[in-house]
Amino acid sequence: MTERAHPYSSSQQLQALSALNERTREIFRQIVESYLTTGEPVGSRNLARILPMALSPASIRNVMADLEHSGLIFAPHTSAGRLPTELGLRFFVDAMLEIGDVGREEQERIEAQMRAAASGHTFESALAEASSMLSGISRGAGVVVTTKSNVHLKHIEFVRLDPARALVVLVSDDGSVENRLLDLPPGLPAGALQEASNYLNARLQGRTLGGLRAEIEAGREAMKRELDVITERLVDAGLATTVGTSEARQLIVRGQANLLDDLRAVEDLERIRLLFNDLETQKDVIELLSRAEGGEGVRIFIGSENKLFSLSGSSMIAAPFRDGSQKIVGVVGVIGPTRLNYARIVPMVDYTARVVSRMLDRGGR
């Protein structure tokens, strides 16, 4: 989105925003909602027809001039209607957006689709389904970032290399194998490695690493009764090694083609081309999504608020999900134009993240 510069500092902008009266807020709301629906500028004559209060086009133009001076709206062309600036969108999202709940029918559909994707496949299939689902809902690109600690496990084995070291071998449901080096505690009995392997595999039940760690921690007293102290330390060390070091990030993107569906001008095509270039830079997308792990609930990034999408003028709505031990291990979200349907997408992203967390808490089922 191209904006005209305005003369206000940040503190002046905040003062101007807080001083908006009801009439000004309603005109601003209609300009933003028209933009989110059509992507087109709206003028004073059209606003006079749709406002719930009787105002002349001349009165509306005076209010629009004040809003433009405050940096909330701008005119893309001479004598055109007005569009919200990125500052205006941020103000609307933070102070005026009315977010509803996800309906029971939609909740059941989301859960059923993700359970079906995970059943007989891998947890990664459920994450891919989450990305596809959010893409379909938003008509944007659905995105998921997760860590290797969410891999759906099939088998764990401890293999001795020498008296002081062993490998922890992780076999996941999709057949991939990872090896992690482990320092062995001194005085380890000959059968301890096999005993530790058996103990963990009996509790795997297709769990993720995070889910397995939570299960072991919850049954700490029972483990102390079953295993000697050294073997218990081996189990803890094995889990710490696998969960603690498997932090490679995986990015899943679905529905980029949706971004081509509603192009209205040559500048739209250029914006989407820039966005596609951004999405191909996986490391930067992962880094941006990871910023959503820094807080509770849904995070909304608009346009140049993030460096990655500053040129394409895009927005991202994202929410973190947690494993069985309540550790944040990934993010689900939507990337699209700044005129995303925030009121609908925000609760859907939030609910999808909670479904993923519940699946992780149940060991990926």
Side-chain angles (χ1 to χ4, degrees):
M1 180 190 296
T2 304
E3 305 174 18
R4 208 167 60 195
H6 50 82
Y8 278 71
S9 68
S10 297
S11 60
Q12 289 173 315
Q13 288 166 358
L14 291 174
Q15 291 172 6
L17 302 185
S18 63
L20 296 185
N21 59 35
E22 183 179 351
R23 182 179 69 171
T24 304
R25 279 176 172 257
E26 187 57 38
I27 290 172
F28 174 66
R29 179 194 298 279
Q30 293 294 343
I31 292 172
V32 175
E33 290 184 348
S34 176
Y35 166 71
L36 295 180
T37 301
T38 69
E40 300 291 338
V42 61
S44 57
R45 292 188 182 278
N46 283 335
L47 283 170
R49 287 194 289 268
I50 62 178
L51 283 169
M53 56 192 74
L55 289 174
S56 69
S59 297
I60 293 172
R61 282 194 293 273
N62 287 336
V63 173
M64 291 169 73
D66 291 339
L67 288 170
E68 190 167 1
H69 186 64
S70 297
L72 295 179
I73 63 174
F74 73 106
H77 309 289
T78 306
S79 301
R82 299 297 186 271
L83 292 171
T85 62
E86 287 182 1
L87 174 66
L89 280 175
R90 170 52 62 188
F91 175 61
F92 177 81
V93 165
D94 288 349
M96 303 176 70
L97 183 64
E98 296 177 2
I99 298 173
D101 294 325
V102 180
R104 170 54 57 185
E105 188 175 321
E106 284 188 316
Q107 290 181 15
E108 293 174 350
R109 179 175 59 82
I110 291 172
E111 295 200 35
Q113 286 182 227
M114 291 186 60
R115 280 198 306 269
S119 176
H121 298 285
T122 66
F123 183 67
E124 285 68 35
S125 301
L127 293 178
E129 178 62 27
S131 179
S132 297
M133 219 167 28
L134 290 173
S135 170
I137 291 164
S138 65
R139 305 308 300 163
V143 290
V144 174
V145 162
T146 187
T147 66
K148 296 273 188 158
S149 62
N150 294 327
V151 170
H152 199 192
L153 288 177
K154 183 178 181 180
H155 186 73
I156 292 180
E157 190 76 32
F158 291 86
V159 180
R160 188 187 293 271
L161 298 176
D162 57 45
R165 294 181 305 161
L167 281 180
V168 185
V169 182
L170 305 172
V171 183
S172 58
D173 269 1
D174 62 5
S176 62
V177 178
E178 284 195 47
N179 299 317
R180 299 293 176 189
L181 193 62
L182 174 67
D183 292 327
L184 296 177
L188 189 69
L193 289 173
Q194 188 60 53
E195 188 177 1
S197 298
N198 293 343
Y199 184 85
L200 289 172
N201 285 312
R203 286 153 182 79
L204 266 184
Q205 300 175 343
R207 294 183 184 277
T208 64
L209 283 169
L212 178 60
R213 183 172 62 171
E215 171 75 10
I216 296 298
E217 191 56 43
R220 173 66 59 184
E221 291 305 315
M223 182 169 73
K224 288 181 177 179
R225 290 193 297 270
E226 282 190 51
L227 304 177
D228 60 53
V229 174
I230 293 181
T231 307
E232 180 188 345
R233 285 171 56 197
L234 177 61
V235 168
D236 285 339
L239 285 177
T241 299
T242 55
V243 177
T245 61
S246 299
E247 293 299 326
R249 295 282 177 152
Q250 175 188 10
L251 175 67
I252 302 171
V253 182
R254 295 288 186 274
Q256 295 101 310
N258 289 338
L259 299 167
L260 297 170
D261 286 349
D262 197 26
L263 302 182
R264 297 175 182 273
V266 172
E267 54 265 29
D268 274 355
L269 186 60
E270 176 62 13
R271 178 183 62 76
I272 294 301
R273 186 188 68 78
L274 291 169
L275 177 55
F276 276 15
N277 289 341
D278 291 339
L279 291 175
E280 287 177 8
T281 313
Q282 293 199 7
K283 181 179 177 183
D284 291 340
V285 177
I286 288 172
E287 183 178 331
L288 174 60
L289 279 163
S290 298
R291 288 173 56 191
E293 296 178 349
E296 295 292 329
V298 180
R299 298 282 302 276
I300 300 173
F301 301 89
I302 298 174
S304 58
E305 290 177 355
N306 65 79
K307 180 181 176 183
L308 178 61
F309 297 146
S310 60
L311 294 178
S312 65
S314 302
S315 287
M316 184 181 80
I317 302 170
F321 55 86
R322 301 171 184 272
D323 63 13
S325 60
Q326 294 305 298
K327 174 189 174 186
I328 292 176
V329 291
V331 175
V332 298
V334 166
I335 294 173
T338 53
R339 63 183 193 87
L340 286 168
N341 185 343
Y342 297 94
R344 173 163 167 74
I345 297 171
V346 167
M348 296 297 283
V349 168
D350 180 53
Y351 188 75
T352 301
R354 284 188 276 136
V355 171
V356 173
S357 295
R358 287 201 295 271
M359 293 180 70
L360 281 169
D361 191 34
R362 296 193 297 264
R365 296 187 302 279

